[in-house]
């Protein structure tokens, strides 16, 4: 019934503005966790003007029943899509992002993952999402869920997951560092590299878009992970040999059915190539910004005897970019 109600704009307006007596629990609630009682006590402490619907949805997310969890996430998305600017703040104040990230960390259900991704994408439109550090606390759960999503047959799930990662990386305020340690940056880079290697070009293209956002100077950890940046660019470059970038004359020489499939693959290949070029530009910009900061030109944590080999250094990254550009990128574009 709730799922049907939140599809109606008038009902959402009423439900999100209604407050009053605490929500009472049904006597038969074996499927709910022990945290339910805590939530009820929390509800009793809420001010009179606080909407109780987000608290109910949070309670459903705590449920051990996957059907209830999925329904809760779908309801949250249906509410937010009505008016993100109006309802995101209420949901964030109720700590729904934290509970959605928790579900990502503990689920391999494609429906639940996709629903949670969709909710969180909408919540990132609200600056409060970042000022309350939900992105910092949730990034590890997101990375763990992406590894699960890439194993699923439904490619829309990892695509939505990498969209969420892209939104977080693009919207994260420079004043709030997303990766306080090198391990966090490496984990995200590994997930993006796995996405770039996906057999589905649409997923790979979204992962490349996330890589471009990852190459912002404000996201780089200390010590600087030059080798990780280099490995990610090499992974993107390796995909070029699989792209279908045939000429129009080739399409005219094939049958209608085959031409349709080939045109679709060509369209996806060109989309991937465009995102890759944007990512390459971001990598070059990052190298240029690092070159202007002497402290970043060499990793201070690299052993002295390794500096002479230019390993894990800005020089190594620049050589990698030039090598890939000369041997693969320029010929592919031409």
């Amino acid at each position: 019934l709730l799922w049907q109600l939140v599809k109606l704009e008038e009902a959402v307006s009423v439900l999100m503005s209604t407050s009053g007596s605490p929500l009472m629990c049904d006597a038969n609630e074996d499927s709910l966790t022990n945290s339910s009682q805590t939530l009820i006590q929390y509800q009793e402490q809420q001010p009179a003007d606080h909407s109780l619907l987000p608290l109910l949805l949070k309670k459903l997310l705590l449920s051990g029943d996957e059907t209830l969890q999925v329904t809760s996430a779908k309801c949250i998305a249906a509410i937010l899509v009505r008016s993100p600017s109006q309802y995101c703040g209420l949901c964030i104040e109720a700590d729904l992002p934290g509970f959605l990230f928790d579900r990502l960390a503990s689920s391999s259900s494609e429906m639940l993952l996709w629903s949670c991704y969709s909710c969180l994408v909408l919540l990132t439109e609200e600056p409060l999402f970042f000022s309350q550090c939900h992105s910092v606390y949730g990034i590890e759960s997101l990375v763990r869920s992406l590894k699960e999503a890439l194993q699923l047959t439904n490619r829309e799930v990892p695509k939505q997951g990498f969209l969420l990662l892209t939104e977080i990386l693009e919207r994260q305020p420079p004043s709030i560092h997303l990766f306080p340690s090198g391990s966090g940056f490496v984990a995200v880079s590994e997930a993006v590299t796995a996405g770039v290697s996906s057999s589905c070009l649409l997923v790979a293209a979204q992962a490349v878009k996330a890589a471009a956002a990852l190459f912002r100077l404000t996201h780089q950890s200390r010590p600087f992970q030059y080798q990780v940046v280099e490995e990610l660019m090499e992974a993107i470059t390796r995909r070029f040999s699989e792209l279908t970038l045939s000429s129009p004359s080739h399409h005219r020489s094939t049958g209608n059915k085959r031409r349709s499939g080939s045109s679709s693959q060509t369209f996806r290949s060109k989309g991937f190539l465009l995102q890759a070029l944007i990512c390459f530009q971001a990598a070059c910009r990052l190298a240029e910004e690092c070159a202007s900061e002497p402290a970043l030109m060499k990793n201070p944590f690299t052993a002295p005897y390794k500096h002479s080999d230019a390993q894990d250094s800005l020089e190594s990254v620049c050589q990698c970019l030039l090598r890939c550009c000369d041997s693969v990128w320029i010929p592919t574009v031409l």
Side-chain angles (χ1 to χ4, degrees):
L1 175 60
L2 179 60
W3 168 232
Q4 295 300 321
L5 284 173
V6 296
K7 295 178 183 179
L8 306 173
E9 186 173 355
E10 296 82 358
V12 169
S13 180
V14 171
L15 289 169
M16 289 299 288
S17 62
T18 299
S19 61
S21 59
L23 296 172
M24 300 303 294
C25 289
D26 190 276
N28 182 18
E29 53 176 14
D30 294 336
S31 64
L32 299 181
T33 66
N34 294 332
S35 301
S36 298
Q37 187 60 39
T38 304
L39 274 175
I40 297 170
Q41 295 172 358
Y42 178 71
Q43 291 164 9
E44 292 172 347
Q45 299 169 2
Q46 297 305 300
D49 60 347
H50 196 97
S51 173
L52 294 180
L53 181 56
L55 301 175
L56 171 62
L57 295 173
K58 183 162 65 173
K59 181 177 178 181
L60 294 177
L61 284 174
L62 283 169
S63 164
D65 189 322
E66 187 178 293
T67 303
L68 292 179
Q69 293 173 353
V70 171
T71 302
S72 176
K74 288 167 65 177
C75 286
I76 296 169
I79 291 169
L80 294 177
V81 79
R82 294 290 178 188
S83 178
S85 60
Q86 184 177 358
Y87 299 127
C88 278
L90 289 172
C91 291
I92 293 171
E93 290 289 355
D95 198 29
L96 282 178
F99 284 78
L100 289 167
F101 276 122
D102 286 345
R103 295 282 68 80
L104 289 181
S106 59
S107 176
S108 58
S109 162
E110 66 178 44
M111 192 62 202
L112 183 56
L113 289 176
W114 190 90
S115 299
C116 289
Y117 288 149
S118 300
C119 291
L120 289 165
V121 165
L122 292 168
L123 288 169
T124 58
E125 296 182 21
E126 173 60 50
L128 190 63
F129 178 89
F130 297 98
S131 63
Q132 290 194 355
C133 294
H134 286 294
S135 53
V136 176
Y137 296 130
I139 193 73
E140 184 178 345
S141 298
L142 174 56
V143 169
R144 190 179 299 126
S145 71
L146 284 171
K147 294 177 181 179
E148 290 287 341
L150 286 169
Q151 307 301 318
L152 301 174
T153 55
N154 186 348
R155 297 305 183 185
E156 287 297 319
V157 180
K159 181 184 172 185
Q160 191 75 354
F162 282 112
L163 173 61
L164 172 59
L165 178 60
T166 304
E167 292 294 325
I168 289 176
L169 292 171
E170 288 182 345
R171 295 174 182 267
Q172 183 73 17
S175 59
I176 304 175
H177 203 47
L178 193 57
F179 305 111
S181 66
S183 59
F185 181 88
V186 171
V188 171
S189 179
E190 289 176 348
V192 172
T193 301
V196 168
S197 304
S198 171
S199 58
C200 175
L201 275 179
L202 293 176
V203 174
Q206 187 62 60
V208 171
K209 191 172 183 180
L214 184 64
F215 287 158
R216 294 183 178 182
L217 186 61
T218 54
H219 290 323
Q220 306 312 304
S221 61
R222 301 294 187 274
F224 204 104
Q225 304 295 321
Y226 287 112
Q227 190 171 355
V228 173
V229 174
E230 190 173 330
E231 290 171 354
L232 183 49
M233 288 308 302
E234 288 176 340
I236 296 172
T237 304
R238 284 194 295 270
R239 290 304 302 267
F240 279 33
S241 61
E242 305 169 26
L243 300 181
T244 304
L245 301 168
S246 52
S247 62
S249 60
H250 171 76
H251 294 312
R252 288 194 292 269
S253 64
T254 57
N256 290 335
K257 184 174 181 181
R258 183 179 175 184
R259 182 173 63 225
S260 175
S262 179
S263 297
S264 175
Q265 184 67 12
T266 301
F267 178 78
R268 293 177 181 180
S269 294
K270 290 180 178 178
F272 177 89
L273 179 59
L274 176 60
Q275 290 299 333
L277 289 168
I278 294 172
C279 183
F280 189 90
Q281 184 182 21
C284 291
R285 186 184 299 113
L286 175 62
E288 184 179 12
E289 290 172 337
C290 290
S292 65
E293 296 189 26
L296 295 177
M297 292 187 67
K298 285 188 177 181
N299 191 337
F301 292 90
T302 301
Y305 70 89
K306 289 186 177 181
H307 281 308
S308 59
D309 298 329
Q311 295 295 322
D312 196 25
S313 66
L314 177 59
E315 181 183 357
S316 177
V317 171
C318 291
Q319 289 177 353
C320 171
L321 291 173
L322 291 170
R323 183 175 63 252
C324 292
C325 187
D326 288 344
S327 62
V328 179
W329 292 68
I330 289 178
T332 301
V333 172
L334 291 177

